[in-house]
């Protein structure tokens, strides 16, 4: 743990057990595997590798994914899905075609496909979040895919699945209606009206095949897109009844090497979520609807380290090292703050996917020799492991600093209580790079609760990384600086740190 700095700040976290925001939907801890770079091939699937099982699934990677606890995984893209022909990815492997994969400029040989993905989901104890291609394809293919996956049998596509050795339907419950359809880079990108009508029709016909499914429509592909705002409104106006969730995507980078400004992106994220909630509720009001559209933040992370290298990549290889960001300690701090922000909006953010899971902008990296945890692995794992229960409206009284997003608090925090198991978990990031923070919290409503553990992730160097040779350079430790006395929790959050304070009765 970092040396205690001489000066310190003071903060107060106000917890009231009656001020509940919402139970946490566990799908907020989701992730994403795209056919991109080494996410699938050499990431989760590498037949012949010493760490692979008989089916070719990487056991070491599966173990790390189970360690995080990832309840849903979005698949197969991403930009990839906008050119995806799902029929290419099923049936005997020897008969599957090789295709030019136009989103990322590689050759896709389809040796890992839909049914392999569903088997892999079982191995890592996750549920699928499947995307349909609304770029180069349309509503008929979306319908056929749901029939292949979810219908019991006795029809063309359900019988095809059975012929492929999968007797029972996959029963995939969550479906993305395309990907980033406002993006000029997207194959088959559309105007808001075109996409809104397409998503509406696709959602409708997919729900005719299986009324139990839920659909996610594409929001703008980022807050800075010129389409933002009008796109969300138009898509919802076109498809309100056939859409259950609206997607948000956001990546951040520290291109100017300004760490305080970079860490303040959680303020921007908070504003982004509130703005999309407002648009959803505006359309609800105009439509006089009783239905509420919730949010699926199905791509979020830090992404910028690999941008330059990717520009130099040669095209038409097979699974190149693409989007392989090596994360540092400050990235882990922002990821922690992003998780806190998503949880603070748990009443509306029901689904979120860290993009992505293995090798491609990911918490887990692999080589032919093994797998290791990047810095961002830890806040993601801690949140998924411990922030289960009900989010409480967490008021943090602390110092702030000026940023381009407005005043940013030095302390980001959220409290999650689980009354059934009698636990309270406080997640907190101290963004102050110099000063520790002495925090108090009145815990009298939680009489008898004590500190089980205070986990800290900190490092003297914000640019410190975990690598294959030095995989534990940035790793969590425990602190003895948290205690409950006379109903008051007192703790110290070290300068530049991610913290998990676990309390129980
Ligand atoms: O996650 C990487 C890419 O980022 C996805 O394919 C796309 O949806 C987004 O632009």
């Amino acid at each position: 743990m970092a040396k205690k700095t001489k000066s310190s700040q003071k903060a107060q976290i106000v917890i009231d057990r009656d001020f509940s925001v919402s139970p946490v939907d566990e799908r907020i801890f989701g992730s994403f595997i795209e056919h991109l770079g080494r996410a699938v091939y050499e990431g989760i699937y590498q037949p012949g590798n010493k760490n692979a099982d008989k089916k070719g699934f990487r056991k070491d990677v599966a173990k790390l994914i189970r360690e995080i606890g990832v309840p849903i995984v979005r698949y197969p893209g991403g930009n990839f899905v906008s050119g995806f022909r799902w029929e290419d990815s099923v049936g005997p492997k020897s008969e599957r075609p090789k295709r030019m994969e136009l989103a990322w400029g590689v050759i896709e040989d389809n040796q890992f496909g839909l049914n392999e993905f569903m088997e892999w989901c079982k191995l890592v104890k996750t549920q699928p979040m499947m995307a349909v291609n609304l770029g180069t394809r349309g509503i008929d293919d979306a319908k056929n895919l749901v029939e292949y996956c979810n219908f019991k049998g006795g029809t063309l596509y359900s019988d095809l699945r059975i012929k492929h050795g999968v007797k029972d339907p996959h029963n995939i419950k969550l479906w993305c209606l395309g990907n980033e359809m406002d993006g000029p880079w997207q194959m088959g990108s559309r105007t808001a009206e075109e996409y809104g009508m397409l998503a509406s029709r696709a959602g409708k016909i997919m729900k005719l095949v299986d009324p139990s499914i839920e659909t996610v429509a594409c929001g703008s592909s980022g807050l800075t897109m010129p389409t933002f705002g009008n796109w969300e409104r138009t898509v919802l106006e076109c498809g309100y009844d056939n859409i259950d969730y609206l997607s948000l995507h956001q990546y951040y980078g520290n291109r100017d090497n300004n760490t305080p400004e970079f860490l303040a992106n959680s303020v921007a994220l908070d504003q982004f979520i509130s703005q999309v909630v407002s648009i959803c509720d505006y359309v609800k009001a105009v439509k006089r609807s009783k239905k509420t559209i919730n949010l699926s933040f199905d791509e979020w992370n830090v992404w910028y380290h690999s941008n330059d290298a990717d520009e130099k990549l040669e095209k038409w290889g097979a699974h190149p090292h693409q989007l392989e960001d090596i994360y540092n300690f400050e990235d882990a701090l922002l990821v922690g703050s992003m998780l806190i922000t998503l949880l603070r909006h748990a009443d509306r953010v029901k689904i979120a996917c860290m993009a992505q899971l293995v090798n491609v902008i990911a918490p887990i990296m692999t080589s032919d020799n093994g797998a290791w945890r990047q810095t961002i692995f830890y806040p993601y794992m801690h949140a998924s492991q411990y922030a289960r229960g009900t989010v409480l409206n967490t008021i943090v009284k602390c110092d702030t600093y000026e940023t381009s997003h407005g005043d940013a608090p030095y302390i980001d925090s959220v409290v999650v209580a689980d009354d059934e198991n009698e636990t309270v978990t406080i997640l907190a990031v101290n963004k102050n790079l110099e000063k520790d923070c002495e925090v108090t919290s009145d815990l009298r409503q939680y009489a008898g609760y004590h500190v089980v553990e205070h986990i800290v992730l900190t490092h003297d160097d914000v640019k410190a990384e975990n690598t294959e040779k030095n995989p534990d350079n940035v790793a969590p430790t425990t602190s003895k600086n948290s205690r409950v006395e006379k109903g008051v929790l007192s703790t110290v959050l070290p300068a530049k740190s991610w913290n998990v304070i676990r309390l129980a009765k």
Side-chain angles (χ1 to χ4, degrees), residues 32 34 36 78-79 104 179-180 185 249 251 299 303 323 355-356 361:
F32 178 26
E34 177 168 5
L36 159 55
N79 297 339
W104 300 104
N179 177 67
E180 294 191 345
W185 58 87
H249 290 182
Y251 297 98
E299 287 187 31
W303 173 15
L323 276 69
Q356 299 191 10
I361 44 173

Side-chain angles (χ1 to χ4, degrees), residues 190-367:
R190 305 276 205 279
T191 64
E193 287 79 9
E194 286 168 348
Y195 171 69
M197 289 315 300
L198 179 61
S200 180
R201 289 173 181 142
K204 184 172 180 177
I205 200 163
M206 289 160 73
K207 283 171 183 257
L208 285 177
V209 179
D210 182 351
S212 73
I213 65 168
E214 292 188 306
T215 57
V216 183
C218 302
S220 313
S221 41
L223 181 58
T224 51
M225 292 294 289
T227 42
F228 176 69
N230 278 332
W231 174 278
E232 278 74 2
R233 177 182 56 75
T234 308
V235 168
L236 289 178
E237 281 173 353
C238 292
Y240 205 84
D241 293 339
N242 302 313
I243 292 169
D244 300 301
Y245 303 91
L246 190 65
S247 79
L248 297 83
H249 290 182
Q250 192 66 51
Y251 297 98
Y252 295 114
N254 187 8
R255 292 183 180 82
D256 300 330
N257 195 18
N258 181 341
T259 303
E261 182 71 22
F262 173 64
L263 297 180
N265 276 312
S266 56
V267 176
L269 182 69
D270 181 66
Q271 291 163 358
F272 182 22
I273 294 170
S274 298
Q275 286 162 0
V276 178
V277 166
S278 302
I279 300 169
C280 292
D281 291 348
Y282 162 79
V283 180
K284 176 180 181 177
V286 170
K287 286 193 173 280
R288 279 97 173 137
S289 176
K290 290 199 165 50
K291 173 178 168 183
T292 299
I293 300 285
N294 285 319
L295 310 189
S296 170
F297 214 122
D298 44 45
E299 287 187 31
W300 67 268
N301 203 347
V302 172
W303 173 15
Y304 76 105
H305 298 283
S306 58
N307 291 166
D308 291 344
D310 285 346
E311 298 218 333
K312 294 175 201 130
L313 268 185
E314 283 205 20
K315 283 200 158 191
W316 313 123
H319 24 100
H321 289 250
Q322 211 165 3
L323 276 69
E324 295 205 0
D325 274 40
I326 306 303
Y327 290 111
N328 59 33
F329 172 57
E330 68 182 10
D331 298 329
L333 290 179
L334 181 60
V335 160
S337 280
M338 291 179 84
L339 284 157
I340 287 170
T341 309
L342 292 167
L343 283 162
R344 289 175 68 92
H345 286 277
D347 54 332
R348 298 304 290 271
V349 178
K350 299 296 173 187
I351 301 162
C353 303
M354 175 186 263
Q356 299 191 10
L357 189 53
V358 185
N359 287 333
V360 170
I361 44 173
I364 299 169
M365 293 300 290
T366 70
S367 72

